[in-house]
Amino acid sequence: MNIQVLPDHKLSSVAPLKPCNVEKKEVQLILVKDQNGVQYTSSTIMPTPSTHGTPCTAEELEERETWGKKIDFLLSVIGFAVDLANVWRFPYLCYKNGGGAFLIPYILFLVIAGMPLFYMELALGQYNREGAATVWKICPVFKGVGYTVIIIALYVGFYYNVIIAWSLYYLFSSMTSELPWLHCDNAWNSPNCTDPKLLNGSFLGNGTSYAKYKMTPAAEFYERGVLHLHESRGIQDLGMPRWELVLCLVAVVFLLYFSLWKGVKSSGKVVYITATMPYVVLFVLLIRGITLPGAMDGIRAYLHIDFKQLNDPKVWIDAATQIFYSLGAGFGVLIAFASYNKFDNNCYRDAILTSTVNCVTSFFSGFAIFSVLGYMAYKHGVRIEDVATEGAGLVFIIYPEAISTLPGSTFWAIVFFIMLLTLGIDSSMGGMEAVITGLSDDFKILKRNRKLFTFATAFGTFLVALFCITNGGIYVLTLLDNYAAGTSILFGVLIEAIGVSWFYGVDRFSEDIERMMGFKPGLYWRLCWKFVSPTFLLVVVIASIVTSTGLSYDDYVFPSWSNVIGWGVALSSMMFVPIYAIYKFLSMPGTFKQRIAYCITPEHEHHLVAEGATIRQFTLKHWLAI
C-alpha cells in the first residue's frame, strides 16, 4: 500500500480530511485498501489559482481540542440528558398511564428508537469532529437542519434558564428558620389563603383535587410570591421584570458563562458536581421519603400495573415523546459533545451506558417523588391521584409543601432545590454548548473569539428571558415551552435521520464507525437507522400535530393570536431546512443533475461530480444498501 503524505500537512490515515485554505489547492482523494480491508485515504494535491479569501490562521490549523478525561464526556452527556423532566414528568406519566405497564412501551421505544438515535448522533459527531451544522459536509443539502437544531437549542435556553432561576430563588428563600410557604401570614398571601391543616378530603369534596387547589400557602408563594401572576391579566399584560428574579437569572447566566468560556476543558470539570449531585440528593430524599407515613401507599400507586391502559393510543404517544425528549436527541448537544472525543473512542458503549443511566434515573426518581406524594395523601386524607401532578406544580408547590411539614424542613428544602439547580445547570450548559460549537465551527471568526461569543450568547438568552420573569412571564414561558421545541425538534431529528440513513447511506455510515472502533454496527442498528427510527419519528411528528390543541395555563386560555405566534416560533426554526436546500441548489454550478449531485454528495467527493463520474446516490444499489 502506498500513501503519500506531504511534509507540511498532517493527514490522518483514518479520519476524514477537512479541507483548509492554507494555499488554494485542488485535492484529489483516492481510496486504497489495506490487506485487512480497512479503507485509508491517500491524497494527490495540486496547486490551483486562489479562489477564496485569506489563508487559514494558526488557530484553524490546530487540532480540535478533546475532553480532558473520558469521564468528563460521560458526565457531560449524562448531565445533559438527566434533567428536570426526569423528576417532574416521568414519574407522573408512569403513574397516569398504567404504572408498571407503562414501562412496556417506554422500554420498547428506548430500544427501537431512543438508543439508535442516541448512538447515531454520538457517532456522527465523533467521526466528523464538527458541530451540528458543519457535520453536514457529508450531505450538504441537509445543512439547514443543523441550523434548525441550533436555533431550537437557543430558544430552549431562553426559558429553561428561567426555571433554574426559580430554583435559585427558592434555594435562597429556604435559608430561613421557617420556610416562607408554611403559613398564610405573608405579604403576598390572599385573604382566601387556607392553612393546609384544614384541608382534607371532605373539605375538597367539590371535585377539586388537592394538586389543583390554588389557595394553599405553597401554591400562593409560587404563583403570587414568585410569579406575581395575580398582577397580570394574561399574556398581553406582562409588566416589568421582577428584580429578585432578575438577580437570580444574572447569577445563572454568569455561572453558565464561566462554565463554558474555555470550552470543554472548563465545562468538563463543572459536571463533576452538577451531574453527580442529583444522584446523591435523590438517594437522600428517597431514604427520608420511605420513612414517612403513607409512603408505601404512594410507591404502590406508582408501581401498580394496569395492562388495560395499553389499549389507549395516548399511552403509546406519551411513551414515545417522553423517551425522545428524555434522551435529548436532536438538540445538537450530543453531536457537539461527541465532536470533542478522540477518534477511536467507543461511542457505541457510551450510547448504551448513558441512555440506560438516563432511563434508570427517571424510574428511580419516581420512588423519591411518590413516597412523598403518598405522605401528602395520608396527611390530608385524600387519594394519591388528588395530590399527583407533573411539571412546575410538583417541584414548586406539592413537594415543597410536603418538605415544609418535616422536622428539619429547612435542611430538606435546601437539599431539594440544590438538586433542581444542578439538574438544570448541566442541561442548560449542554444546550448552550450546542449553539456555541455549532456556530463557531461554521464561522471561524467566532471560534477565534470563543470567550466573547460565549458571553454574547449567554447575554442574548438573558435579555429574552427577561420577558419570562415579568408578572405574566409564566404565559410567555408556557408558549415557548410548547412551541419552541415541540413539533419542530421532532421534525428536525426526522430530517436528520433521513439525511444520515438514506442520503449519506447506512452502509457508508457503518464504514465510518468501523474506521473509528474497528467493528461495524450490527444489522439491528442498521435496520433501526434506516427504517424503524425514521418511521417512529414520522408517527410521533404526525401525532404531535394531530393532538395539538390551543394553549392554556390552568384556567387561563391563551388568545388565538398567541397560538399563531407560537407556530411562528416553531416554523422559524423548521424553515431553515427548505430555505437552505433551495439556496444550496441554486448556488451550485453545472446542469440540473450536477447541482443535485453536488447537494447530496459528501464534500470530499465533489471532484467526482466535476469529472462526470458515476455518483453512488444515483444508483439503485445505494438506496437498497443496509
Side-chain angles (χ1 to χ4, degrees):
M1 183 175 79
N2 181 24
I3 298 180
Q4 284 184 306
V5 180
L6 293 185
D8 293 334
H9 298 273
K10 187 175 181 181
L11 178 63
S12 169
S13 61
V14 288
L17 181 65
K18 180 180 179 180
C20 185
N21 299 327
V22 182
E23 297 173 36
K24 307 310 163 200
K25 299 184 177 184
E26 181 179 346
V27 184
Q28 184 181 10
L29 298 175
I30 307 165
L31 289 178
V32 290
K33 286 197 173 183
D34 195 352
Q35 293 178 351
N36 63 4
V38 178
Q39 293 185 334
Y40 292 86
T41 305
S42 172
S43 302
T44 305
I45 305 180
M46 301 160 289
T48 62
S50 177
T51 58
H52 299 286
T54 57
C56 292
T57 62
E59 288 91 345
E60 290 170 5
L61 291 173
E62 289 180 0
E63 287 189 9
R64 190 176 186 83
E65 69 172 322
T66 56
W67 296 97
K69 295 178 182 177
K70 174 66 174 287
I71 190 67
D72 297 2
F73 166 69
L74 291 176
L75 287 177
S76 294
V77 173
I78 291 171
F80 164 70
V82 177
D83 66 354
L84 292 167
N86 293 69
V87 172
W88 81 12
R89 181 162 169 78
F90 176 84
Y92 178 75
L93 274 185
C94 186
Y95 163 75
K96 183 182 75 170
N97 291 318
F102 180 72
L103 296 178
I104 294 175
Y106 183 77
I107 293 173
L108 173 67
F109 290 137
L110 168 67
V111 173
I112 68 171
M115 279 185 178
L117 290 169
F118 203 89
Y119 182 15
M120 182 184 78
E121 288 207 346
L122 290 184
L124 194 63
Q126 182 173 306
Y127 181 79
N128 294 285
R129 301 179 70 76
E130 301 276 2
T134 45
V135 76
W136 288 103
K137 61 189 179 183
I138 64 172
C139 190
V141 75
F142 285 96
K143 189 175 182 179
V145 78
Y147 293 127
T148 293
V149 300
I150 289 170
I151 294 298
I152 290 172
L154 187 63
Y155 286 170
V156 171
F158 293 158
Y159 68 89
Y160 199 82
N161 291 344
V162 173
I163 300 173
I164 304 172
W166 291 347
S167 303
L168 187 60
Y169 184 81
Y170 265 84
L171 178 62
F172 288 140
S173 300
S174 301
M175 296 177 180
T176 59
S177 57
E178 187 175 82
L179 295 177
W181 54 85
L182 187 59
H183 299 298
C184 287
D185 52 359
N186 301 289
W188 58 80
N189 288 128
S190 71
N192 296 323
C193 181
T194 308
D195 191 323
K197 295 174 184 175
L198 303 177
L199 295 176
N200 52 46
S202 59
F203 183 90
L204 295 169
N206 58 356
T208 302
S209 70
Y210 189 88
K212 299 296 182 185
Y213 188 73
K214 297 299 184 180
M215 302 301 179
T216 63
E220 291 202 347
F221 177 77
Y222 173 64
E223 294 203 336
R224 298 173 66 91
V226 179
L227 303 183
H228 277 229
L229 194 56
H230 61 292
E231 297 178 12
S232 172
R233 292 168 296 165
I235 193 170
Q236 74 282 358
D237 180 25
L238 296 181
M240 295 298 292
R242 302 272 326 291
W243 68 267
E244 304 98 324
L245 294 180
V246 170
L247 292 179
C248 291
L249 188 60
V250 167
V252 170
V253 169
F254 266 92
L255 182 58
L256 287 171
Y257 172 70
F258 286 109
S259 298
L260 294 168
W261 69 323
K262 290 186 178 179
V264 296
K265 297 297 184 185
S266 58
S267 65
K269 298 297 177 277
V270 175
V271 291
Y272 277 76
I273 298 172
T274 59
T276 56
M277 180 68 75
Y279 290 96
V280 176
V281 176
L282 268 177
F283 182 73
V284 171
L285 290 175
L286 174 62
I287 297 301
R288 181 67 184 101
I290 59 177
T291 63
L292 298 172
M296 296 315 295
D297 292 333
I299 291 174
R300 275 193 290 270
Y302 174 54
L303 295 178
H304 82 286
I305 297 176
D306 182 5
F307 289 112
K308 292 179 182 178
Q309 291 271 34
L310 299 182
N311 294 326
D312 185 355
K314 195 174 185 311
V315 172
W316 294 80
I317 293 172
D318 281 347
T321 51
Q322 175 63 19
I323 199 68
F324 174 80
Y325 286 114
S326 179
L327 291 178
F331 289 90
V333 178
L334 301 178
I335 293 175
F337 281 165
S339 71
Y340 297 109
N341 274 335
K342 294 178 180 177
F343 187 78
D344 59 352
N345 175 65
N346 191 334
C347 59
Y348 168 69
R349 186 174 55 204
D350 296 344
I352 299 295
L353 173 65
T354 52
S355 57
T356 302
V357 166
N358 174 66
C359 294
V360 169
T361 302
S362 295
F363 183 64
F364 175 72
S365 68
F367 290 91
I369 295 298
F370 270 85
S371 61
V372 172
L373 291 182
Y375 164 68
M376 284 287 286
Y378 169 83
K379 189 173 181 63
H380 295 293
V382 296
R383 297 168 299 176
I384 300 291
E385 63 193 71
D386 291 324
V387 294
T389 187
E390 62 178 330
L394 172 64
V395 298
F396 292 119
I397 299 177
I398 297 296
Y399 211 94
E401 180 182 324
I403 287 174
S404 69
T405 65
L406 302 178
S409 57
T410 296
F411 169 77
W412 295 112
I414 290 173
V415 165
F416 179 69
F417 290 113
I418 285 176
M419 180 187 74
L420 292 189
L421 200 60
T422 53
L423 278 172
I425 283 290
D426 45 19
S427 297
S428 191
M429 280 169 51
M432 200 172 290
E433 184 61 60
V435 175
I436 294 165
T437 297
L439 293 179
S440 61
D441 280 347
D442 201 19
F443 303 99
K444 300 305 177 187
I445 187 172
L446 300 179
K447 178 171 281 190
R448 293 194 295 272
N449 299 280
R450 175 171 175 120
K451 292 181 182 178
L452 183 61
F453 179 46
T454 302
F455 178 80
T457 304
F459 186 66
T461 59
F462 166 76
L463 290 180
V464 179
L466 290 176
F467 289 99
C468 297
I469 54 176
T470 56
N471 295 338
I474 187 64
Y475 300 127
V476 179
L477 188 146
T478 302
L479 185 143
L480 287 173
D481 187 35
N482 274 269
Y483 289 108
T487 303
S488 53
I489 193 68
L490 294 167
F491 169 79
V493 185
L494 172 62
I495 301 301
E496 181 183 288
I498 292 172
V500 172
S501 304
W502 287 88
F503 284 82
Y504 183 60
V506 164
D507 54 338
R508 185 185 298 204
F509 185 52
S510 299
E511 290 168 2
D512 293 346
I513 292 173
E514 184 178 23
R515 290 190 190 100
M516 289 191 294
M517 296 185 289
F519 60 87
K520 272 190 177 182
L523 179 62
Y524 170 79
W525 297 103
R526 302 199 301 273
L527 287 173
C528 283
W529 286 330
K530 186 146 189 172
F531 301 109
V532 182
S533 295
T535 303
F536 164 84
L537 288 167
L538 181 61
V539 170
V540 176
V541 167
I542 293 172
S544 170
I545 296 172
V546 170
T547 58
S548 177
T549 57
L551 271 184
S552 63
Y553 177 82
D554 288 340
D555 296 330
Y556 174 75
V557 178
F558 282 67
S560 56
W561 59 263
S562 62
N563 290 292
V564 174
I565 291 176
W567 279 110
V569 170
L571 289 171
S572 67
S573 58
M574 290 191 282
M575 288 303 292
F576 276 95
V577 174
I579 288 174
Y580 187 86
I582 294 169
Y583 157 75
K584 193 67 181 177
F585 175 79
L586 295 177
S587 65
M588 289 291 102
T591 64
F592 182 87
K593 184 177 180 181
Q594 284 178 317
R595 290 185 179 194
I596 293 290
Y598 277 122
C599 285
I600 63 176
T601 302
E603 288 180 358
H604 70 268
E605 291 183 1
H606 279 187
H607 68 284
L608 297 176
V609 180
E611 294 165 2
T614 301
I615 305 304
R616 61 181 286 169
Q617 281 86 346
F618 288 166
T619 63
L620 184 62
K621 181 181 177 182
H622 167 81
W623 298 98
L624 296 179
I626 296 178

